[in-house]
Coordinates of all heavy atoms in Angstrom, one line a residue:
L50 N 24.2 70.4 -132.1 CA 24.5 70.1 -133.6 C 25.4 68.8 -133.7 O 25.1 67.9 -134.5 CB 25.4 71.3 -134.2 CG 24.6 72.5 -134.6 CD1 25.6 73.6 -134.9 CD2 23.7 72.0 -135.9
P55 N 19.4 69.7 -134.9 CA 19.5 71.1 -135.4 C 18.3 72.0 -134.9 O 18.6 73.2 -134.6 CB 19.4 70.9 -136.9 CG 18.6 69.8 -137.1 CD 19.1 68.7 -136.0
L59 N 19.3 75.4 -133.1 CA 19.0 76.7 -133.5 C 18.3 77.6 -132.5 O 18.5 78.8 -132.3 CB 17.9 76.6 -134.6 CG 17.4 78.0 -135.5 CD1 18.6 78.8 -135.9 CD2 16.4 77.6 -136.5
Q76 N 26.1 83.4 -134.7 CA 25.7 83.4 -136.1 C 26.2 82.2 -136.9 O 25.4 81.5 -137.7 CB 26.2 84.6 -136.8 CG 25.5 85.8 -136.3 CD 24.0 86.1 -136.9 OE1 23.6 85.2 -137.5 NE2 23.6 87.2 -136.6
R77 N 27.4 81.7 -136.6 CA 28.0 80.4 -137.2 C 27.1 79.3 -136.8 O 26.7 78.4 -137.7 CB 29.3 80.1 -136.8 CG 30.4 81.0 -137.4 CD 31.8 80.4 -137.2 NE 32.2 79.8 -136.1 CZ 32.7 80.3 -135.0 NH1 33.1 81.6 -135.1 NH2 33.1 79.7 -134.0
L78 N 26.7 79.0 -135.6 CA 25.9 78.0 -135.2 C 24.6 78.2 -135.8 O 23.9 77.0 -136.1 CB 25.9 78.0 -133.5 CG 27.2 77.8 -132.9 CD1 27.2 78.2 -131.4 CD2 27.6 76.4 -133.0
A79 N 24.0 79.3 -135.8 CA 22.7 79.4 -136.4 C 22.7 79.0 -137.9 O 21.8 78.3 -138.4 CB 22.2 80.9 -136.3
A80 N 23.7 79.4 -138.6 CA 23.9 79.1 -139.9 C 24.0 77.6 -140.3 O 23.3 77.0 -141.0 CB 25.1 79.7 -140.6
L81 N 24.7 76.8 -139.4 CA 24.8 75.5 -139.5 C 23.5 74.7 -139.2 O 23.2 73.8 -139.9 CB 26.0 74.9 -138.5 CG 27.4 75.4 -138.9 CD1 28.4 75.1 -137.8 CD2 27.7 74.6 -140.3
S82 N 22.9 75.3 -138.1 CA 21.5 74.6 -137.7 C 20.5 74.8 -138.9 O 19.9 73.8 -139.3 CB 21.0 75.3 -136.5 OG 22.0 75.2 -135.4
L83 N 20.5 76.0 -139.4 CA 19.6 76.2 -140.6 C 19.9 75.4 -141.7 O 19.0 75.0 -142.4 CB 19.6 77.7 -140.9 CG 19.0 78.7 -139.9 CD1 19.4 80.1 -140.3 CD2 17.5 78.7 -139.9
S84 N 21.2 75.2 -142.0 CA 21.6 74.4 -143.2 C 21.2 72.9 -143.1 O 20.6 72.3 -143.9 CB 23.1 74.5 -143.4 OG 23.5 73.7 -144.5
E85 N 21.3 72.4 -141.8 CA 20.9 71.1 -141.6 C 19.4 70.9 -141.6 O 18.9 69.9 -141.8 CB 21.4 70.6 -140.3 CG 23.0 70.4 -140.2 CD 23.5 69.6 -139.1 OE1 22.8 69.0 -138.5 OE2 24.8 69.5 -138.9
L86 N 18.7 71.9 -141.3 CA 17.2 71.9 -141.4 C 16.7 72.2 -142.8 O 15.5 72.2 -143.0 CB 16.6 73.0 -140.5 CG 16.7 72.8 -139.0 CD1 16.3 74.0 -138.2 CD2 15.9 71.5 -138.6
G87 N 17.6 72.3 -143.8 CA 17.2 72.5 -145.1 C 16.9 74.0 -145.5 O 16.3 74.4 -146.6
R88 N 17.1 74.9 -144.7 CA 16.7 76.3 -144.8 C 18.0 77.1 -145.3 O 18.6 78.0 -144.7 CB 16.1 77.0 -143.6 CG 14.9 76.3 -143.1 CD 14.5 76.6 -141.8 NE 14.3 77.9 -141.3 CZ 14.0 78.2 -140.0 NH1 13.9 77.3 -139.0 NH2 13.8 79.5 -139.8
Q89 N 18.4 76.7 -146.5 CA 19.6 77.3 -147.1 C 19.7 78.7 -147.2 O 20.8 79.4 -146.9 CB 19.9 76.6 -148.3 CG 20.0 75.1 -148.3 CD 21.3 74.6 -147.4 OE1 22.3 75.4 -147.2 NE2 21.2 73.5 -146.7
S90 N 18.7 79.4 -147.7 CA 18.8 80.8 -147.9 C 19.1 81.5 -146.6 O 19.9 82.4 -146.5 CB 17.6 81.3 -148.6 OG 16.4 81.0 -147.9
E91 N 18.3 81.1 -145.6 CA 18.5 81.7 -144.3 C 19.9 81.5 -143.7 O 20.6 82.2 -143.0 CB 17.5 81.3 -143.2 CG 16.1 81.6 -143.7 CD 15.0 80.9 -142.8 OE1 14.9 81.4 -141.6 OE2 14.5 80.0 -143.2
A92 N 20.4 80.1 -144.0 CA 21.7 79.8 -143.5 C 22.9 80.7 -144.1 O 23.7 81.1 -143.5 CB 22.0 78.4 -143.8
V93 N 22.6 81.0 -145.4 CA 23.6 81.8 -146.1 C 23.6 83.3 -145.5 O 24.7 83.8 -145.2 CB 23.3 82.0 -147.5 CG1 24.2 83.0 -148.2 CG2 23.5 80.6 -148.2
A95 N 22.9 84.0 -142.4 CA 23.5 83.9 -141.0 C 25.0 83.8 -141.2 O 25.8 84.4 -140.5 CB 22.9 82.8 -140.2
A96 N 25.4 83.0 -142.1 CA 26.8 82.8 -142.3 C 27.5 84.2 -142.8 O 28.6 84.4 -142.4 CB 27.1 81.7 -143.4
V112 N 32.3 78.1 -142.4 CA 30.9 77.9 -142.4 C 30.2 78.6 -143.5 O 29.4 77.9 -144.2 CB 30.3 78.5 -141.0 CG1 28.8 78.4 -141.1 CG2 30.9 77.7 -139.9
L113 N 30.6 79.7 -143.9 CA 30.1 80.4 -145.2 C 30.4 79.4 -146.4 O 29.4 79.3 -147.2 CB 30.7 81.7 -145.4 CG 30.1 82.5 -146.7 CD1 28.6 82.7 -146.6 CD2 30.8 83.8 -146.7
S114 N 31.5 78.9 -146.4 CA 31.8 78.1 -147.6 C 30.9 76.9 -147.7 O 30.5 76.4 -148.7 CB 33.3 77.6 -147.6 OG 33.6 76.7 -148.7
E115 N 30.7 76.2 -146.4 CA 29.9 75.0 -146.2 C 28.4 75.3 -146.8 O 27.9 74.4 -147.6 CB 29.9 74.5 -144.9 CG 31.2 73.9 -144.4 CD 31.1 73.3 -143.0 OE1 30.9 74.1 -142.1 OE2 31.2 72.2 -142.9
V116 N 27.9 76.4 -146.4 CA 26.5 76.5 -146.7 C 26.4 77.0 -148.2 O 25.3 76.8 -148.8 CB 25.8 77.6 -145.7 CG1 25.8 77.1 -144.4 CG2 26.5 79.0 -145.8
L117 N 27.3 77.7 -148.7 CA 27.4 78.1 -150.1 C 27.5 76.9 -151.0 O 26.9 76.7 -152.1 CB 28.4 79.2 -150.4 CG 28.2 80.6 -149.9 CD1 29.4 81.3 -150.1 CD2 27.0 81.2 -150.4
A118 N 28.2 75.9 -150.6 CA 28.5 74.7 -151.4 C 27.2 73.9 -151.6 O 27.2 73.0 -152.5 CB 29.6 74.0 -150.8
A119 N 26.3 74.0 -150.6 CA 25.0 73.3 -150.8 C 24.2 73.6 -151.9 O 23.3 72.9 -152.5 CB 24.2 73.4 -149.5
D120 N 24.4 74.9 -152.5 CA 23.6 75.4 -153.6 C 24.6 75.3 -154.8 O 25.6 76.0 -154.8 CB 23.0 76.7 -153.4 CG 22.2 77.2 -154.4 OD1 22.1 76.7 -155.5 OD2 21.5 78.4 -154.1
R154 N 32.5 69.5 -155.0 CA 31.2 69.7 -155.4 C 31.2 70.6 -156.7 O 30.3 70.4 -157.5 CB 30.5 70.4 -154.3 CG 30.0 69.5 -153.1 CD 29.1 70.3 -152.3 NE 28.4 69.4 -151.3 CZ 27.2 69.6 -150.7 NH1 26.7 70.8 -150.8 NH2 26.8 68.8 -149.8
E207 N 30.9 66.4 -145.3 CA 29.7 67.0 -144.6 C 28.5 66.1 -144.8 O 27.6 66.1 -144.0 CB 29.5 68.3 -145.2 CG 29.0 68.4 -146.6 CD 30.0 68.4 -147.6 OE1 31.2 68.2 -147.2 OE2 29.7 68.7 -148.8
A211 N 26.4 64.4 -141.5 CA 25.0 64.6 -141.5 C 24.3 63.2 -141.3 O 23.4 63.1 -140.5 CB 24.5 65.4 -142.6
R269 N 16.6 63.1 -147.5 CA 16.9 63.6 -148.9 C 17.6 62.5 -149.6 O 18.3 61.7 -148.9 CB 17.6 64.9 -148.8 CG 16.7 66.0 -148.2 CD 17.4 67.4 -148.5 NE 18.7 67.4 -147.8 CZ 18.8 67.9 -146.6 NH1 17.8 68.3 -145.9 NH2 20.1 68.1 -146.0
Q272 N 21.3 62.1 -148.6 CA 21.2 61.7 -147.2 C 21.0 60.2 -147.1 O 21.5 59.4 -146.4 CB 20.3 62.4 -146.3 CG 20.8 63.8 -146.0 CD 19.9 64.4 -145.0 OE1 18.6 64.2 -145.0 NE2 20.3 65.5 -144.1
R340 N 32.3 68.2 -134.6 CA 32.5 69.1 -135.7 C 32.6 70.6 -135.5 O 32.9 71.4 -136.3 CB 31.3 68.9 -136.8 CG 31.3 67.5 -137.3 CD 30.1 67.4 -138.2 NE 28.9 67.6 -137.4 CZ 27.7 67.9 -137.9 NH1 27.6 68.5 -139.1 NH2 26.7 68.1 -137.0
R341 N 32.4 71.0 -134.3 CA 32.4 72.4 -134.0 C 33.7 72.8 -133.2 O 34.0 72.2 -132.1 CB 31.2 72.9 -133.1 CG 29.8 72.3 -133.7 CD 29.5 72.9 -135.0 NE 28.4 72.0 -135.6 CZ 28.6 71.3 -136.6 NH1 29.7 71.2 -137.3 NH2 27.5 70.6 -137.2

Side-chain angles (χ1 to χ4, degrees):
L50 278 171
L59 181 58
Q76 291 286 3
R77 286 202 316 269
L78 294 165
L81 290 168
S82 303
L83 289 164
S84 181
E85 293 199 9
L86 290 169
R88 296 159 61 178
Q89 294 301 327
S90 59
E91 296 173 77
V93 171
V112 170
L113 178 57
S114 177
E115 285 183 298
V116 298
L117 288 172
D120 186 345
R154 286 190 165 195
E207 73 273 11
R269 295 193 294 271
Q272 286 181 336
R340 296 174 294 154
R341 316 289 170 250

